[in-house]
Amino acid sequence: MSEFLLKPRIRFGQDALSALAEVPARQALLVTDQMMVKVGLADRVTQILRQRGIPFLCWDDVVADPDITTVVRGMKLMDGCYPDLVIALGGGSVIDAAKAVMFALAQTRPHLGRERPCFVAIPTTSGTGSEVTSFSVVKARSEKLVLVDPSLLPDIAILDPSLVASVPPAITADTGMDVLCHALEAYVSRAASDFSDALAEKVVQQVFRYLPACWRDGHDLLAREKMHNASCMAGMAFTNASLGITHSLAHALGGVFRVPHGRANALLMAQVVAWNADHDGQCDTQAAHKYARLAHLLDLPAQTPREGVNSLLVAIQALKDEMKMPAGIGDTGLLAADFDQRLAEMVSQALRDNCTPTNPRAPDARALTELYRKAWCGTLAAGH
Ligand code: NAD
């Protein structure tokens, strides 16, 4: 028997932010970052709270890729203000910080018997899908740890495309490739199901259709809405089906070298697709067949698994090129010597990552080392 968990309640579309006015609360905590303050999005939320006369505290300096120090700071803050409503407004970093703080408080203060506050996640990037996932990524020194627990799921997710309009093109590209990676990895995961497949197929079609438009014009609200919904659907897929080694490798690359999460995925994704498909060999794995199915859905040549995999690889490369993304890790400004020096450490982090067990092909240290080396150059062998 399998399970497919659906949570939270999702309010979406233009003006979805107004749904916040319907959430009952006596005292709120707004978790956000300085960019949200700068671009005026934090104000849009606090205005709603003020209009409703709800007292609130604002924790507005969450940093990208939150670490344990950030979580401890949040715990102290939240412990002192007893909110019955927690609102996370930001990208995956902010939402994950709020999740980790609530989780840590519930683990360490169970004797207080406090009711869990209502948790509203309002994503301002179309990328992680964290608003609907039971995952939270927290850094401990140079390692990104993936917490997985159903209690991390928010109660309400608000998807308002106007909140994503200010995301600059480079971050639009990074986060959009994260969405694609979530869908690809959930689709070929060992824990994939009919339910996650349906979501992943829709996501892949929407990303190829709407991501370039978002990158060209951030204020194209139709394209933004489609990508925002795709990001959420990808989150629904992978919170149930889990992910694969693109994420494991990307977590380690991001933890050690601070490469933004979506960009790290974009740098590694094609290599992992090729490896999962056994592109250098028979190209007849179950994953190869599923990648070919995606190519077919994208109206690309896919008469055989090999032709389909080739088509998908070319399409991924073209999407990256169109958004002027770096081809290989070596094009991001990292020094080869530094990369080589930390390679074994990254490989061992990736091997023990929570996303590795569901990858369709089981990797060993040698395979992961090879994948990092290929991703350094960013070149793929042309299809046979
Ligand atoms: P992010 O939250 O780190 O944000 C990236 C940058 O974009 C930040 O500087 C932020 O201030 C800025 N930004 C966000 N929204 C903006 C807006 N509307 N306008 C202008 N700037 C804006 O990036 P992310 O990719 O959303 O999240 C990445 C983090 O999420 C990583 O730590 C990653 O490991 C984690 N993650 C979590 C999950 C999950 O399920 N919980 C899944 C994938 C990744």
Side-chain angles (χ1 to χ4, degrees):
M1 189 178 73
S2 304
E3 178 181 275
F4 191 87
L5 180 66
L6 282 178
K7 198 191 165 197
R9 181 173 182 190
I10 299 168
R11 307 298 297 265
F12 64 97
Q14 308 221 358
D15 200 31
L17 185 61
S18 60
L20 195 56
E22 298 163 19
V23 183
R26 289 186 305 275
Q27 163 90 27
L29 172 68
L30 171 62
V31 183
T32 191
D33 69 15
Q34 279 300 299
M35 184 57 81
M36 297 300 100
V37 175
K38 192 174 156 196
V39 297
L41 298 183
D43 263 358
R44 286 180 61 187
V45 168
T46 54
Q47 223 173 356
I48 295 174
L49 295 174
R50 279 201 190 92
Q51 275 165 2
R52 296 181 58 207
I54 298 171
F56 62 88
L57 209 70
C58 193
W59 174 25
D60 63 9
D61 59 358
V62 174
V63 289
D65 297 336
D67 60 7
I68 290 183
T69 317
T70 308
V71 176
V72 171
R73 238 162 15 99
M75 284 172 76
K76 283 187 187 148
L77 201 80
M78 193 167 150
D79 219 8
C81 79
Y82 293 85
D84 60 347
L85 171 64
V86 173
I87 303 164
L89 171 80
S93 294
V94 164
I95 298 175
D96 280 12
K99 283 176 165 178
V101 167
M102 291 174 73
F103 181 76
L105 276 177
Q107 300 301 308
T108 54
R109 315 271 200 284
H111 55 284
L112 295 181
R114 268 188 231 155
E115 259 185 43
R116 180 184 185 270
C118 174
F119 180 20
V120 179
I122 311 176
T124 62
T125 57
S126 305
T128 67
S130 180
E131 69 277 8
V132 291
T133 74
S134 52
F135 289 43
S136 169
V137 184
V138 177
K139 248 177 98 166
R141 293 205 182 88
S142 61
E143 181 161 6
K144 278 186 162 189
L145 304 174
V146 186
L147 294 172
V148 188
D149 193 278
S151 70
L152 294 168
L153 278 162
D155 301 294
I156 301 172
I158 295 180
L159 307 179
D160 188 326
S162 72
L163 304 178
V164 201
S166 52
V167 178
I171 298 178
T172 297
D174 291 346
T175 49
M177 292 306 281
D178 194 20
V179 176
L180 178 61
C181 192
H182 292 153
L184 291 180
E185 298 223 293
Y187 198 59
V188 299
S189 158
R190 286 168 187 263
S193 67
D194 284 347
F195 300 93
S196 55
D197 280 2
L199 290 161
E201 287 177 358
K202 181 74 177 170
V203 170
V204 170
Q205 289 172 300
Q206 287 200 188
V207 169
F208 278 99
R209 178 147 182 215
Y210 294 105
L211 178 55
C214 293
W215 180 81
R216 278 194 301 273
D217 174 9
H219 292 274
D220 178 341
L221 284 189
L222 171 68
R224 285 294 197 188
E225 183 171 351
K226 294 292 185 186
M227 274 306 297
H228 220 31
N229 293 348
S231 169
C232 184
M233 289 188 285
M236 291 160 81
F238 85 77
T239 195
N240 283 284
S242 195
L243 294 162
I245 57 170
T246 312
H247 270 79
S248 312
L249 296 162
H251 287 147
L253 183 65
V256 171
F257 288 114
R258 295 173 174 252
V259 178
H261 176 70
R263 192 170 318 159
N265 277 330
L267 291 164
L268 290 150
M269 178 188 319
Q271 305 297 341
V272 173
V273 166
W275 188 72
N276 283 341
D278 189 25
H279 190 247
D280 289 342
Q282 295 302 309
C283 204
D284 195 31
T285 61
Q286 200 185 2
H289 285 258
K290 288 192 94 170
Y291 293 136
R293 161 104 189 122
L294 290 179
H296 172 75
L297 290 173
L298 293 169
D299 285 331
L300 300 171
Q303 292 288 331
T304 62
R306 182 174 300 284
E307 188 181 43
V309 172
N310 281 340
S311 296
L312 186 63
L313 290 172
V314 169
I316 292 170
Q317 190 55 50
L319 188 59
K320 282 172 64 178
D321 289 348
E322 189 171 355
M323 297 188 294
K324 306 204 181 320
M325 298 188 83
I329 301 170
D331 303 313
T332 61
L334 279 186
L335 294 178
D338 292 342
F339 185 74
D340 284 347
Q341 198 191 5
R342 308 291 296 269
L343 189 55
E345 178 188 346
M346 289 194 294
V347 165
S348 94
Q349 283 187 19
L351 270 178
R352 60 175 181 262
D353 192 284
N354 265 341
C355 299
T356 299
T358 39
N359 196 68
R361 195 173 164 190
D364 57 13
R366 207 170 137 182
L368 295 185
T369 306
E370 184 71 3
L371 284 167
Y372 270 134
R373 288 206 187 285
K374 286 184 170 171
W376 174 267
C377 308
T379 48
L380 269 172
H384 304 286

